[in-house]
């Protein structure tokens, strides 16, 4: 035997097989249980079909759409202004399939049927595991509908196209399209979250429309058919609908200055724009803009919670798939005691995040029928957005570490999940904004406190640690002097308490007990993988394990 034959340089051993195509719905025991518990089990067939796409073909499309970032073409070859963003064909195929699968409109198509918002949230949860960028225009299109209800004429003109399941990317006037998407433009350079500092002005014209002059520092998904924007009018801060293409076929005077060079979210385009006398139409009444936008915030914040829980789920799937194949020191990684602790802890965190997202979705779903659920939705969406979105980056990084070096290279989805993870914490108001909004709700809307504690009291007596937490929260909320200064800590404890209550009443006693012992009883460290020795490691990993 030659030396060359004796010493092969590239014999691949002990390397896991790639994650195969799988059904992201039927393989997710936790998600199925949460959706059924919150009233969405009647849509199992629809979720099964979408889960097959999300865990299969959508993975490859998401990879391609993120590899080939959008490109801005401000002018055509003859120097005419076109303000066109070019997307890779994979992006358009994603949008086509996701809209056909009703990711953006399921709640409205099935409006009035309990659990419809839970199902729509689950559809977004499945989708974001393969590509989160398309979730931006789809979420905005979904959440624009409640804002437009304040203006019957605009609602009648736009809602049918926003609720359409047809993706139509053509540059045409809205009334010539089979389906439309809606973006938002709120943030300006000088204001950020303080939209009252916005300087963009809208001047009423003789025909009842408004001419808008100003800028937006973040103008999301600029190829949408219209955007809801905030501008100053004589009556104060006002919401306006600004179409991309005017009825005569000409482009509106919205000039894209550049696309944002973002850390993640690469498949989606975010831009800076100037309004150079753009035409827009008032939504509802002048001066009511912030109130109307807040109607959308509950829905978009719910999307942030579900999006973060979704990224956590996909990171966990990748970690479990790798560690059950890779061997070290004579055992597979998943059999090693310390790795078992890490994986079980990640599984517990993922289940709690998913349970909170779906419970919040049920509250949003029922808010028009049940005042108590409406009050709970008002408080749980900023609480959940603050906490779950804060947990996501550390969670994804821990999952990366389970894969070692290959979890850090771009051929793997984990670097993309890691880049994406901080975004939901920033979108729709950063962490401080969420905490201040929780305090605002508690102070000005006392029914929110009543609804929140009513949810906790459903689990009273099921674990001593939660009972103590309820008492401590009540006392903390009475300390008005220190409340704002310590609001991050307060909202964190509120999130942990409501997650514990949801799990304790879910029928999964071992999971709930492990959560209370580790998160409320102090038997947990500052990093993942620090569960107490008596935790149900096998049960946690078995519930999280994807079935192929």
């Amino acid at each position: 035997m030659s030396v060359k034959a004796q010493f092969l340089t590239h014999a691949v051993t002990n390397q896991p097989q790639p994650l195969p195509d799988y059904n992201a719905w039927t393989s997710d025991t936790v998600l199925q249980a949460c959706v059924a518990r919150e009233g969405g089990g009647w849509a199992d067939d629809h979720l099964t079909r979408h889960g097959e796409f999300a865990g299969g073909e959508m993975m490859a499309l998401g990879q391609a759409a993120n590899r080939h970032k959008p490109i801005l073409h401000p002018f055509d070859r003859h120097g005419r202004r076109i303000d066109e963003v070019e997307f890779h064909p994979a992006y358009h195929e994603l949008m086509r399939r996701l809209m056909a699968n009703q990711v953006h409109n399921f709640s409205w198509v099935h409006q009035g049927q309990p659990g419809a918002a839970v199902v729509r949230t689950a559809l977004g949860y499945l989708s974001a595991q393969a590509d989160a960028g398309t979730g931006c225009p789809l979420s905005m299109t979904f959440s624009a509908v409640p804002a437009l209800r304040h203006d019957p004429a605009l609602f009648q003109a736009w809602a049918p196209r926003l609720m359409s399941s047809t993706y139509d990317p053509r540059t045409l006037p809205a009334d010539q399209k089979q389906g439309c998407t809606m973006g938002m433009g709120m943030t300006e350079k000088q204001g950020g979250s303080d939209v009252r500092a916005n300087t963009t002005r809208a001047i009423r014209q003789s025909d009842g429309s408004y001419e808008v002059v100003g800028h937006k520092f973040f103008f999301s998904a600029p190829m949408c058919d219209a955007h809801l924007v905030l501008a100053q009018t004589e009556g104060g801060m006002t919401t306006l609908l600004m179409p991309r293409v005017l009825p005569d076929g000409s482009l509106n005077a919205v000039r894209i200055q550049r696309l944002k060079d973002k850390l993640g979210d690469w498949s989606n385009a975010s831009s800076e724009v100037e309004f150079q006398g753009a035409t827009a139409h008032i939504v509802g009444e002048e001066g009511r803009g912030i109130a109307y936008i807040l109607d959308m915030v509950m829905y978009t914040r719910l999307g942030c919670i579900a999006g973060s829980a979704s990224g956590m789920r996909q990171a966990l799937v990748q970690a479990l798939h790798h560690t059950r194949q890779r061997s070290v020191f004579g055992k597979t990684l998943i059999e090693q005691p310390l790795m078992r602790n890490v994986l079980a802890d990640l599984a517990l965190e993922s289940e709690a995040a998913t349970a909170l997202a779906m419970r919040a979705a049920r509250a949003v779903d029922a808010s028009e029928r049940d005042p108590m659920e409406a009050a709970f939705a008002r408080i749980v969406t900023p609480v959940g957005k603050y906490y779950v979105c804060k947990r996501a980056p550390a969670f994804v990084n821990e999952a990366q570490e389970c894969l070692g070096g290959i979890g850090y290279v771009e051929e793997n989805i984990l670097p993309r999940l890691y880049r994406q993870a901080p975004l939901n914490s920033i979108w729709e108001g950063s962490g401080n904004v969420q905490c201040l909004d929780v305090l605002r709700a508690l102070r000005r809307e006392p029914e929110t406190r009543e609804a929140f504690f009513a949810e906790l009291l459903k689990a009273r007596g099921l674990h001593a640690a939660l009972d103590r937490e309820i008492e401590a929260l009540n006392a903390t909320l009475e300390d008005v002097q220190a409340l704002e200064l310590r609001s991050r800590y307060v909202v964190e404890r509120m999130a942990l308490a409501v997650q514990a209550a949801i799990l304790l009443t879910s029928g999964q006693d071992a999971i709930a007990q492990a959560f209370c012992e580790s998160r409320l009883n102090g038997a947990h460290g500052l990093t993942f993988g620090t569960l107490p020795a008596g935790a149900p490691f096998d049960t946690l990993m078995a519930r999280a394990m994807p079935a192929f």
Side-chain angles (χ1 to χ4, degrees):
M1 181 183 296
S2 68
V3 172
K4 179 180 179 180
Q6 188 176 0
F7 298 102
L8 295 176
T9 61
H10 199 72
V12 179
T13 61
N14 197 27
Q15 282 290 345
Q17 293 297 316
L19 185 72
D21 288 355
Y22 69 105
N23 190 310
W25 167 252
T26 60
S27 68
D28 192 338
T29 300
V30 170
L31 180 62
Q32 291 178 76
C34 290
V35 170
R37 184 169 64 244
E38 307 302 349
W42 52 270
D44 182 76
D45 288 346
H46 190 100
L47 288 162
T48 297
R49 289 191 298 273
H50 187 62
E52 183 176 2
F53 171 60
E57 187 180 355
M58 189 179 175
M59 289 289 182
L61 290 170
Q63 183 181 23
N66 281 274
R67 184 185 303 118
H68 303 280
K69 298 181 185 180
I71 301 170
L72 173 63
H73 300 289
F75 303 95
D76 69 8
R77 70 185 68 182
H78 302 291
R80 298 182 184 89
R81 191 85 194 215
I82 58 173
D83 290 292
E84 181 178 309
V85 179
E86 176 190 347
F87 292 91
H88 188 268
Y91 174 88
H92 292 296
E93 181 62 12
L94 283 169
M95 288 292 290
R96 184 185 73 80
R97 296 285 293 275
L98 293 172
M99 291 184 72
N101 288 355
Q102 301 183 330
V103 172
H104 68 302
N105 68 0
F106 193 92
S107 294
W108 312 133
V109 171
H110 298 274
Q111 190 166 11
Q113 183 161 357
V118 176
V119 178
R120 199 214 71 84
T121 303
L123 290 168
Y125 178 103
L126 293 168
S127 306
Q129 294 184 55
D131 173 66
T134 44
C136 176
L138 295 175
S139 177
M140 292 188 296
T141 300
F142 162 69
S143 59
V145 172
L148 292 179
R149 288 199 177 114
H150 292 287
D151 194 299
L154 284 177
F155 184 84
Q156 184 177 3
W158 281 88
R161 286 185 285 273
L162 296 178
M163 295 181 189
S164 169
S165 298
T166 300
Y167 175 58
D168 187 346
R170 295 176 298 168
T171 301
L172 291 172
D175 62 3
Q176 298 178 30
K177 299 189 67 170
Q178 300 174 31
C180 290
T181 55
M182 183 80 73
M184 297 182 196
M186 311 296 169
T187 306
E188 298 186 6
K189 296 185 183 76
Q190 73 286 343
S193 296
D194 183 11
V195 295
R196 295 183 190 277
N198 285 6
T199 60
T200 294
R201 299 203 62 82
I203 302 167
R204 186 178 174 87
Q205 305 298 295
S206 59
D207 64 357
S209 67
Y210 285 71
E211 183 178 87
V212 183
V213 176
H215 79 283
K216 293 297 172 184
F217 196 45
F218 281 90
F219 195 70
S220 298
M223 288 297 99
C224 286
D225 297 288
H227 283 73
L228 293 177
V229 302
L230 284 175
Q232 300 281 1
T233 65
E234 289 187 1
M237 189 64 69
T238 299
T239 298
L240 300 108
L241 186 151
M242 185 177 289
R244 180 168 176 263
V245 181
L246 299 176
D248 64 3
S250 63
L251 288 176
N252 206 350
V254 180
R255 303 298 178 233
I256 303 176
Q257 302 304 302
R258 62 169 176 161
L259 298 185
K260 296 289 193 181
D261 188 7
K262 299 171 293 184
L263 170 67
D265 204 50
W266 288 352
S267 64
N268 175 47
S270 302
S271 62
E272 295 177 30
V273 299
E274 289 184 0
F275 304 137
Q276 299 178 358
T279 298
H281 307 280
I282 190 173
V283 177
E285 304 174 26
E286 281 195 9
R288 296 279 295 157
I290 294 176
Y292 295 162
I293 293 303
L294 287 176
D295 284 349
M296 304 166 62
V297 162
M298 183 170 65
Y299 296 94
T300 52
R301 285 177 176 173
L302 174 59
C304 290
I305 300 169
S308 289
S310 169
M312 292 159 76
R313 169 60 186 171
Q314 182 55 216
L316 179 58
V317 167
Q318 296 288 332
L320 289 168
H321 179 69
H322 178 89
T323 57
R324 68 179 174 181
Q325 297 182 75
R326 176 81 164 177
S327 295
V328 60
F329 306 128
K331 295 180 180 178
T332 57
L333 278 170
I334 203 169
E335 295 174 307
Q336 300 287 351
L338 195 51
M339 181 61 79
R340 282 163 53 77
N341 198 320
V342 170
L343 294 170
D345 207 358
L346 292 174
L348 181 59
E349 188 75 20
S350 176
E351 178 154 354
T354 302
L356 177 56
M358 297 306 150
R359 176 62 185 96
R362 174 159 66 90
V364 170
D365 184 86
S367 59
E368 293 186 7
R369 305 183 298 273
D370 185 336
M372 185 66 82
E373 285 294 292
F376 182 63
R378 168 69 180 91
I379 194 78
V380 79
T381 46
V383 167
K385 183 188 179 304
Y386 172 76
Y387 187 73
V388 174
C389 297
K390 286 290 185 191
R391 297 291 279 173
F395 185 107
V396 176
N397 178 242
E398 195 67 62
Q400 278 185 303
E401 193 172 321
C402 293
L403 274 69
I406 64 171
Y408 196 68
V409 298
E410 292 293 341
E411 292 165 318
N412 189 288
I413 194 175
L414 280 161
R416 171 153 55 96
L417 295 176
Y418 188 58
R419 287 194 302 270
Q420 193 75 30
L423 183 54
N424 282 316
S425 188
I426 298 170
W427 259 341
E428 304 306 323
S430 62
N432 286 355
V433 171
Q434 302 308 307
C435 293
L436 294 174
D437 191 43
V438 170
L439 297 191
R440 186 181 302 111
L442 292 171
R443 288 167 175 166
R444 300 180 184 177
E445 305 166 53
E447 65 275 14
T448 61
R449 179 170 176 171
E450 178 186 354
F452 186 81
F453 279 94
E455 186 72 17
L456 301 187
L457 291 175
K458 292 176 184 178
R460 183 165 59 180
L462 298 180
H463 199 287
L466 178 59
D467 293 346
R468 289 193 297 271
E469 193 70 34
I470 293 171
E471 291 182 11
L473 275 173
N474 261 316
T476 301
L477 292 177
E478 296 302 321
D479 185 7
V480 177
Q481 297 296 325
L483 205 51
E484 183 171 329
L485 187 66
R486 300 185 70 236
S487 59
R488 280 192 170 218
Y489 174 79
V490 174
V491 175
E492 177 181 311
R493 301 311 299 183
M494 291 175 71
L496 290 170
V498 76
Q499 285 181 315
I502 295 167
L503 293 174
L504 283 166
T505 56
S506 71
Q508 292 295 326
D509 185 64
I511 305 298
Q513 296 293 322
F515 186 88
C516 291
E517 287 297 322
S518 60
R519 270 62 174 176
L520 299 182
N521 232 8
H524 195 267
L526 296 178
T527 60
F528 291 107
T530 55
L531 290 174
F537 300 104
D538 290 338
T539 301
L540 285 162
M541 288 190 290
R543 281 177 63 76
M545 189 68 68
F548 304 137

